[in-house]
Amino acid sequence: MKIAIATNDYTQVSGHAGQARDWLLYDSDAASGEPERIRLSKAQVFHDWEGEGPHPLDEVAVIVAASAGEGFRRRMDKRGVQVLLTGERDAARALRAVLNDEVLPDPTFDPSLLLCGLRDLFSKH
């Protein structure tokens, strides 16, 4: 199973998953057991991604972030990806909670989601 965590610095869970460029990618089948650091190009950021061709986060089963807009959540739902939003800021703790099937702390209010929701109204996604 692959789990992707949106992050700003590879240690803290970041908000606005659709705009996130930095991700920790955990693969339960990988030998190392350590998450891989992924840096998306501007064109690969989910808010801008056209959906054509392979993506570095293909085959991810779960995405963890502090916030995500409805457009992002709809797109991930179509891909069969579960989106978990959390108030947990420590990426390692969030990963452990998901792996141990524990409940993540509720996310905090993110005022940027209001603007994101407005953008989604006019987005092709």
Side-chain angles (χ1 to χ4, degrees), residues 104-123:
L104 289 164
D106 289 335
T108 57
F109 175 70
D110 184 351
S112 71
L113 288 179
L114 298 173
L115 179 59
C116 185
L118 184 60
R119 281 182 68 183
D120 282 349
L121 289 175
F122 301 101
S123 172

Side-chain angles (χ1 to χ4, degrees), residues 44-116:
Q44 292 171 325
V45 170
F46 284 109
H47 202 283
D48 299 320
W49 190 56
E50 297 294 330
E52 297 178 12
H55 190 277
L57 297 179
D58 279 344
E59 300 177 22
V60 167
V62 176
I63 285 180
V64 178
S67 65
E70 283 304 311
F72 175 83
R73 294 179 77 153
R74 280 191 304 271
R75 288 181 80 188
M76 293 303 105
D77 189 48
K78 287 179 185 177
R79 294 175 63 113
V81 177
Q82 180 183 17
V83 177
L84 301 176
L85 302 182
T86 184
E88 176 60 65
R89 297 316 252 169
D90 184 274
R93 281 197 300 256
L95 175 61
R96 279 193 304 275
V98 172
L99 291 173
N100 293 327
D101 205 24
E102 297 171 359
V103 175
L104 289 164
D106 289 335
T108 57
F109 175 70
D110 184 351
S112 71
L113 288 179
L114 298 173
L115 179 59
C116 185

Side-chain angles (χ1 to χ4, degrees), residues 1-7 9-12 22-39 57 90-96 99:
M1 174 173 71
K2 291 184 180 181
I3 301 167
I5 300 176
T7 180
D9 59 3
Y10 301 109
T11 60
Q12 299 239 345
D22 298 321
W23 293 81
L24 289 172
L25 178 61
Y26 175 82
D27 187 346
S28 61
D29 295 331
S32 73
E34 291 295 315
E36 177 184 355
R37 292 179 175 200
I38 303 287
R39 173 95 174 151
L57 297 179
D90 184 274
R93 281 197 300 256
L95 175 61
R96 279 193 304 275
L99 291 173

